[in-house]
Amino acid sequence: MTVFEELKRRGLIAQMTDEAEIEELVNAGKATFYIGFDPTADSLHVGHFMALCLMKRLQMAGNRPIVLIGGGTAMIGDPSGRTDMRKMMTVETIQHNVDCFKKQMSRFIEFGEDKAIVVNNADWLLQLNYMEVLREVGACFSVNRMLSHECYKQRMERGLTFLEFNYMIMQSYDFYQLFQKYGCNMQFGGDDQWANMLGGTELIRRKLGKDAYAMTITLLLNSEGKKMGKTEKGAVWLDAEKTSPYEFYQYWRNVADQDVIKCLKLLTFVPIEQIEEMERTLEGQQLNQAKELLAYSLTELVHGKTAADQAQETARAVFSGKGSSENMPTTVLHSEDLTDGGIGILTLMVKIGLAPSNGEARRLVQQGGVSVNDTKITDPKCTIYPEAETILRKGKKVFHKVVVEN
């Protein structure tokens, strides 16, 4: 099985230009490709993970990845899939986030001479002057065509700033620069980036002639990937300080039954033949085993074998009621969080992230889905008096420890 065949078998490719040429390049290990990451936070999250796995797969096959950090485009903000404008970040914040991204990516991608490289589009975008953009780049884009794309259409009623309107031009210019500077002949991106990516291919061909060689591929389910990794507490981060290895493991251990095989195909390096065999017989205990395989594989990839072993051991022990709570997600409460030593169950659930709101917390309590130290709580007006260590459980699988410090 070729690399390209495996990408398709795993469901990683949604659509592309020049399929025959792309297949030949990828299988021969001759693709120089890029994927862009806008540094909108100081950590990568689960939504980025499929792209990182794809880069690793292609690098293992001899292809050369370019990690494009959007230090320049982050100053504009991508309007795709958004109902409002992103918060403007300072140059210092963007640079800090760029540094954090580079450090985390080195766990997945091998950087070095003739290997993967990291580039920052601020290096060329911030040098452009306004007239140069209008004459050299803007002249290649049709406003009518840009407005026909979904990434702009969905924002027209709510309001689209001229700043954001330029994002497609800037991203297209990235591919043009990478093509000229590094021989980058392929770009990958999510299905919500298709219009921006086609803009880059078109810009290269218009500026350099029809014989200029540039191709695009989009990743299947990347729009779902952006939804992936959302919890009551927010995003599931790759930074252990933001999402502990145990929380990371538990997130994947608790994915919906219908998503297990899809996640194994898209996000792990478990052999595709093994996954397809599991898919044919997936039920009962085998489903739980598949979820454990998914959780362990991804935790090992992100946090290492030791952390994955500890997370799995803790999860199994906590679920059986026989283990230590040492590695369990923990929230520390202080005296100012309590009233006469107590705190309402709904307030507590929201504070520790077991529910996004009092209303959702009330529903969970009334339906019998919440326990405190193995005692089921059914009264939403109940006050909890935390001890030195108090364990809350939501449903059968989600545990959280509360510790009180004076």
Side-chain angles (χ1 to χ4, degrees):
M1 179 174 56
T2 67
V3 177
F4 189 78
E5 287 172 339
E6 181 171 7
L7 295 182
K8 298 192 79 170
R9 226 161 126 181
R10 287 181 177 271
L12 278 163
I13 298 177
Q15 54 187 332
M16 68 195 84
T17 64
D18 311 291
E19 179 171 353
E21 291 87 349
I22 289 172
E23 181 175 8
E24 182 179 351
L25 277 174
V26 167
N27 288 340
K30 294 181 178 179
T32 297
F33 67 97
Y34 95 89
I35 300 179
F37 300 81
D38 274 356
T40 54
D42 59 359
S43 173
L44 297 164
H45 54 69
V46 164
H48 295 118
F49 196 70
M50 186 164 64
L52 291 172
C53 287
L54 178 69
M55 296 185 98
K56 186 176 180 68
R57 288 183 205 283
L58 291 175
Q59 185 178 47
M60 290 168 63
N63 299 285
R64 187 188 188 201
I66 299 176
V67 174
L68 177 67
I69 304 294
T73 41
M75 293 186 174
I76 297 176
D78 185 1
S80 301
R82 296 188 61 84
T83 58
D84 56 1
M85 184 175 169
R86 290 186 185 275
K87 182 180 178 181
M88 299 283 280
M89 296 186 294
T90 65
V91 174
E92 292 75 19
T93 297
I94 291 173
Q95 185 57 53
H96 171 71
N97 294 349
V98 166
D99 294 339
C100 292
F101 273 29
K102 287 180 179 179
K103 183 177 180 181
Q104 287 184 329
M105 287 176 177
S106 63
R107 293 185 60 92
F108 306 98
I109 312 299
E110 188 176 0
F111 294 101
E113 188 175 352
D114 296 325
K115 297 178 181 177
I117 61 172
V118 179
V119 297
N120 187 337
N121 63 14
D123 293 343
W124 53 81
L125 291 180
L126 299 190
Q127 294 177 9
L128 290 172
N129 64 58
Y130 187 60
M131 294 306 298
E132 183 181 3
V133 172
L134 293 179
R135 286 176 57 87
E136 301 300 323
V137 185
C140 297
F141 289 81
S142 162
V143 171
N144 290 354
R145 187 173 178 183
M146 291 172 71
L147 290 176
S148 71
H149 292 301
E150 195 62 34
C151 59
Y152 289 139
K153 283 167 62 177
Q154 62 186 358
R155 285 289 304 279
M156 291 304 291
E157 291 184 5
R158 291 180 175 268
L160 176 71
T161 67
F162 184 71
L163 177 71
E164 295 169 288
F165 187 64
N166 284 273
Y167 192 91
M168 181 185 292
I169 295 175
M170 296 298 98
Q171 182 170 328
S172 299
Y173 190 72
D174 286 343
F175 195 19
Y176 174 71
Q177 285 290 315
L178 293 174
F179 179 87
Q180 290 191 298
K181 290 176 178 289
Y182 305 103
C184 181
N185 51 22
M186 196 176 299
Q187 58 178 330
F188 286 78
D191 55 4
D192 60 337
Q193 297 294 309
W194 184 240
N196 296 342
M197 295 166 66
L198 288 179
T201 299
E202 181 64 21
L203 178 61
I204 289 173
R205 291 175 177 172
R206 289 195 63 174
K207 295 288 289 183
L208 303 177
K210 292 183 179 180
D211 292 335
Y213 204 47
M215 297 169 290
T216 57
I217 292 183
T218 64
L219 309 185
L220 180 64
L221 301 172
N222 206 12
S223 57
E224 290 189 26
K226 289 190 173 183
K227 301 173 188 174
M228 195 183 294
K230 300 295 184 181
T231 71
E232 289 91 343
K233 293 181 72 174
V236 175
W237 302 99
L238 304 191
D239 185 341
E241 296 298 318
K242 289 177 172 286
T243 299
S244 71
Y246 175 81
E247 291 174 296
F248 189 84
Y249 179 96
Q250 282 295 88
Y251 173 79
W252 297 110
R253 178 63 179 82
N254 294 328
V255 297
D257 294 354
Q258 66 269 22
D259 291 336
V260 179
I261 294 297
K262 177 177 69 179
C263 291
L264 281 168
K265 288 179 178 179
L266 294 174
L267 302 172
T268 76
F269 290 83
V270 176
I272 186 63
E273 295 83 3
Q274 181 181 343
I275 298 173
E276 290 173 342
E277 179 61 30
M278 294 168 63
E279 188 175 14
R280 286 189 283 269
T281 60
L282 196 64
E283 59 182 19
Q285 181 59 29
Q286 292 171 326
L287 179 61
N288 287 327
Q289 291 172 352
K291 288 187 176 183
E292 280 203 342
L293 176 62
L294 172 67
Y296 184 88
S297 297
L298 291 180
T299 307
E300 183 180 23
L301 273 173
V302 174
H303 298 294
K305 186 177 186 306
T306 300
D309 288 340
Q310 291 176 347
Q312 185 172 73
E313 180 183 346
T314 300
R316 288 174 174 174
V318 169
F319 184 70
S320 67
K322 300 177 181 179
S324 164
S325 63
E326 180 181 356
N327 295 311
M328 191 181 296
T330 301
T331 297
V332 177
L333 298 182
H334 300 90
S335 56
E336 55 266 29
D337 297 313
L338 308 175
T339 302
D340 296 329
I343 184 172
I345 183 62
L346 305 186
T347 302
L348 180 59
M349 290 177 65
V350 172
K351 187 173 185 63
I352 67 177
L354 288 186
S357 65
N358 280 356
E360 178 64 14
R362 180 179 292 104
R363 183 187 68 79
L364 289 168
V365 169
Q366 291 174 335
Q367 292 180 352
V370 178
S371 297
V372 177
N373 290 337
D374 290 329
T375 300
K376 185 171 290 187
I377 305 297
T378 57
D379 180 6
K381 296 181 181 179
C382 175
T383 298
I384 305 300
Y385 294 90
E387 303 169 356
E389 180 178 295
T390 301
I391 307 297
L392 276 75
R393 184 178 71 183
K394 182 177 76 172
K396 295 181 178 181
K397 302 176 182 177
V398 180
F399 294 82
H400 198 100
K401 180 170 65 175
V402 174
V403 175
V404 178
E405 292 184 357
N406 295 325

